[in-house]
Amino acid sequence: MKKELTFALNYALNKGFQIHPSAFKILENVDVKKLERIIREIVKEKTRQKLFQINQDDLETYLGIKDDPTIQNEVKVLSDPSDKITSGEGVKGYNALFSSRFNKLKRIVSDRPESRMLKSIASVKTAKSEDDMYVCGLVSLRSSERNITKLILEDPSGSFEGIVFDEELQKTAGTLLLDQFVMARVSLGKNSGLIIKDLILPDIPDLAKTKSETEAYAVFLSDLHIGSKYFMEKEFSEFVSWLSSPDPIARKVRFVLIGGDVVDGVGIYPNQNKELTCQTIEEQLLKVENLIGSIPKNVKIIIMPGNHDPGRRALPQPAIPKKYNSSLWERENVIMVGNPAVVSLNGVKVMMFHGQSIDDIVKTTPGLSYDKPTNVMKHLLRARHLSPIYGSQTPIAPEMEDLLVIEDVPDIFHVGHVHRAELDMYKGILLVNSGSWQKQTPFQASVGMTPNPGIAILVNLKNFKVFHENYNSNLNNILQS
Ligand code: D5M
Ligand code: FE
Ligand code: ZN
């Protein structure tokens, strides 16, 4: 008998365990390097369950040989920008982009009762009526001075400046993002200026949400930053091993979603090379492949890019190009998608977006902060757009179609980027910010950003109950707000 096997058996026997002969047969065929860890984990789990026999079933479950076959792992990619990216050039492209944005959002609000009374901005400007009128448009300016807020709205017929006097409505106006779509109730003022009396956001209707029929779990991850000195390789590897462990939840995981910043990239910020352990994209992606390679084959892995990943920086981003690691692309359980993407997991619709726009929104919107990314996510849902502000830090490509409009209402909204794991609900949509697996970087420390890395968020897709696996020894009740 091999010495590793003797060691493993003695370890279990000394802990008071019996080993069934059928289990013994399986152990004989296990990679000796893995034996010790396997036996320790099974002993730990079964001690917790107070069952002191190791049988064939335990090993088959642990090794992923046998999982409940009725738990489905069906992935459908419902929307992916990768193949739609055209890059219209110059001004024409931006005109097309904004007109697509306007038209898509106008269609979204078209089933609201007010929209039957919608008029074009040009016709409202020449109207003589004293009645209230409804218009919609994209916000092209927002300013507050003395006790009023001014807004300029634009539609294809023209633009107008409206004034908000009402104090409560000024608060709503103050949270509008530049280039966001909004519907307004307006009336003619005394000196023929337009007064804005109400602001109506496209928002999310109350719809019943779809759940999985079987108890499959999805894991939400993002911002691994593999290749960075600060990537928490040990903790991440422990988490990946847990996915093959006999923990009953791990045995039901069928999906792993990675919401961008999979690698740290090369040349993303000045002097980045000093903070890298892998200096090329290829090396970094090879490491990704090796790390996620041991995830059981019945788990589908969906990989979306973020601002650190290769491809292009501007939104929408295509999937990480195959040329950097074709074998990762070709793995049977790996699905590469662009940013943003909508995927269906056993029928549950998940909208994935890396979250680049959060930076611009936090900077310009009162009441929003990096510590509460889910509040920013709610803002995006109300605006029905993933990155409204054009021409700030978040680069947006001049596409002919605006692929960042939230057309489909998802069941789960998955975002990363700000390195703070957080959960919330909005109109029945589960909001997940999946945090990060990178320790606080010197840059983040210098700007006072405190990440809570090393947390894997898991969702039971049958009932939307949420769990988390915490690999950060410094943090306890991390998801409490
Ligand atoms: O970004 C993680 C977070 O840190 C995200 O909120 C942006 C912020 N960040 C990172 N680098 C910069 C610079 N250079 N300026 C401003 N804000 C920054 P990540 O995408 O992981 O780098
Ligand atoms: Fe990141
Ligand atoms: Zn990022």
Side-chain angles (χ1 to χ4, degrees):
M1 194 159 47
K2 291 175 215 143
K3 69 175 190 312
E4 290 87 350
L5 184 56
T6 316
F7 174 87
L9 294 177
N10 282 337
Y11 178 83
L13 294 172
N14 287 336
K15 297 268 180 190
F17 275 78
Q18 291 185 333
I19 298 174
H20 194 272
S22 57
F24 182 76
K25 273 215 184 78
I26 297 176
L27 282 173
E28 274 186 320
N29 294 313
V30 164
D31 177 0
V32 291
K33 292 201 287 288
K34 292 188 182 153
L35 260 177
E36 186 182 337
R37 181 170 58 85
I38 291 170
I39 209 82
R40 278 181 195 276
E41 294 212 6
I42 293 178
V43 163
K44 194 167 117 200
E45 177 63 24
K46 297 217 72 166
T47 304
R48 203 175 59 80
Q49 296 174 9
K50 298 195 171 59
L51 297 168
F52 295 95
Q53 190 181 56
I54 297 175
N55 50 40
Q56 183 175 355
D57 216 37
D58 298 319
L59 281 164
E60 285 183 342
T61 309
Y62 186 85
L63 297 168
I65 301 170
K66 203 185 87 185
D67 271 338
D68 182 345
T70 64
I71 300 182
Q72 300 155 295
N73 62 354
E74 189 190 77
V75 177
K76 281 190 200 136
V77 178
L78 302 179
S79 155
D80 178 354
S82 303
D83 299 331
K84 294 191 198 158
I85 285 169
T86 55
S87 249
E89 290 290 324
V91 177
K92 186 165 162 271
Y94 293 111
N95 284 342
L97 179 78
F98 281 118
S99 115
S100 161
R101 177 180 300 187
F102 178 84
N103 289 331
K104 282 189 184 194
L105 282 152
K106 196 172 167 198
R107 207 171 310 131
I108 287 172
V109 299
S110 68
D111 49 5
R112 303 182 69 120
E114 303 90 342
S115 75
R116 270 183 275 119
M117 299 174 275
L118 270 178
K119 287 190 161 55
S120 73
I121 288 179
S123 67
V124 162
K125 277 165 81 174
T126 55
K128 301 272 180 289
S129 155
E130 298 202 340
D131 297 341
D132 288 352
M133 297 169 282
Y134 286 86
V135 289
C136 58
L138 305 180
V139 178
S140 66
L141 187 124
R142 182 192 90 197
S143 69
S144 292
E145 53 189 75
R146 280 165 274 155
N147 294 324
I148 56 160
T149 299
K150 282 184 190 168
L151 290 176
I152 297 184
L153 299 188
E154 252 180 77
D155 77 0
S157 74
S159 71
F160 79 98
E161 183 183 272
I163 296 173
V164 187
F165 292 107
D166 182 83
E167 225 170 281
E168 273 307 300
L169 195 58
Q170 286 198 62
K171 282 189 200 145
T172 310
T175 66
L176 287 179
L177 305 170
L178 228 47
D179 307 316
Q180 142 166 29
F181 177 96
V182 69
M183 184 148 62
R185 178 158 61 85
V186 297
S187 71
L188 230 42
K190 286 192 198 90
N191 38 16
S192 74
L194 283 166
I195 298 165
I196 297 178
K197 295 193 163 166
D198 199 7
L199 290 162
I200 302 150
L201 300 175
D203 216 327
I204 300 290
D206 294 306
L207 291 174
K209 298 294 173 280
T210 310
K211 309 223 158 138
S212 165
E213 274 171 28
T214 53
E215 211 178 22
Y217 280 70
V219 177
F220 293 85
L221 308 173
S222 64
D223 298 271
L224 311 183
H225 290 265
I226 291 174
S228 159
K229 259 186 9 195
Y230 307 101
F231 165 53
M232 294 158 66
E233 180 163 357
K234 181 175 144 282
E235 290 83 352
F236 186 72
S237 306
E238 272 173 43
F239 172 68
V240 170
S241 320
W242 174 83
L243 288 173
S244 320
S245 79
D247 184 308
I249 291 182
R251 301 288 21 93
K252 290 178 185 166
V253 169
R254 292 293 179 275
F255 311 98
V256 169
L257 280 68
I258 310 181
D261 287 358
V262 185
V263 295
D264 203 53
V266 175
I268 305 290
Y269 57 88
N271 296 319
Q272 186 185 18
N273 57 337
K274 300 200 181 82
E275 297 186 351
L276 293 178
T277 55
C278 303
Q279 296 291 341
T280 66
I281 291 289
E282 286 80 0
E283 252 182 286
Q284 294 178 1
L285 283 168
L286 183 62
K287 193 156 179 170
V288 172
E289 192 187 356
N290 292 336
L291 282 163
I292 65 172
S294 56
I295 294 177
K297 289 289 167 287
N298 62 355
V299 176
K300 302 270 174 72
I301 306 168
I302 297 152
I303 301 181
M304 186 189 80
N307 51 312
H308 282 253
D309 298 303
R312 78 165 182 191
R313 278 297 270 285
L315 294 175
Q317 296 180 281
I320 294 174
K322 192 172 176 177
K323 65 176 178 191
Y324 297 111
N325 185 329
S326 55
S327 62
L328 178 63
W329 261 87
E330 280 156 12
R331 274 180 179 263
E332 57 180 314
N333 61 336
V334 169
I335 298 154
M336 301 293 245
V337 295
N339 170 33
V342 182
V343 294
S344 147
L345 313 177
N346 296 346
V348 175
K349 241 186 239 180
V350 183
M351 177 167 67
M352 299 172 77
F353 172 51
H354 180 60
Q356 286 94 324
S357 58
I358 297 176
D359 295 327
D360 292 331
I361 296 171
V362 163
K363 276 194 203 100
T364 57
T365 315
L368 293 178
S369 71
Y370 279 118
D371 320 340
K372 288 238 151 228
T374 53
N375 282 347
V376 186
M377 291 163 72
K378 289 179 203 170
H379 225 70
L380 298 175
L381 290 171
R382 283 188 215 108
R384 294 291 286 266
H385 199 283
L386 293 170
S387 190
I389 306 174
Y390 174 77
S392 195
Q393 254 183 354
T394 308
I396 297 173
E399 296 295 333
M400 303 304 281
E401 181 186 348
D402 191 341
L403 299 166
L404 301 168
V405 174
I406 303 171
E407 292 187 77
D408 271 352
V409 176
D411 302 306
I412 300 178
F413 184 20
H414 175 203
V415 169
H417 189 55
V418 292
H419 296 208
R420 275 209 75 87
E422 205 201 350
L423 292 161
D424 209 336
M425 288 291 285
Y426 182 69
K427 304 237 179 176
I429 303 172
L430 176 66
L431 312 181
V432 179
N433 193 298
S434 47
S436 78
W437 291 80
Q438 184 190 39
K439 287 191 203 120
Q440 190 187 43
T441 64
F443 168 81
Q444 291 166 357
S446 76
V447 295
M449 262 187 75
T450 315
N452 61 0
I455 300 166
I457 292 178
L458 290 109
V459 177
N460 179 338
L461 297 177
K462 189 175 182 183
N463 56 19
F464 282 27
K465 282 206 176 123
V466 180
F467 299 78
H468 69 277
E469 283 286 309
N470 186 354
Y471 288 82
N472 189 338
S473 50
N474 298 324
L475 302 166
N476 298 321
N477 262 332
I478 211 58
L479 295 174
Q480 275 187 354
S481 44

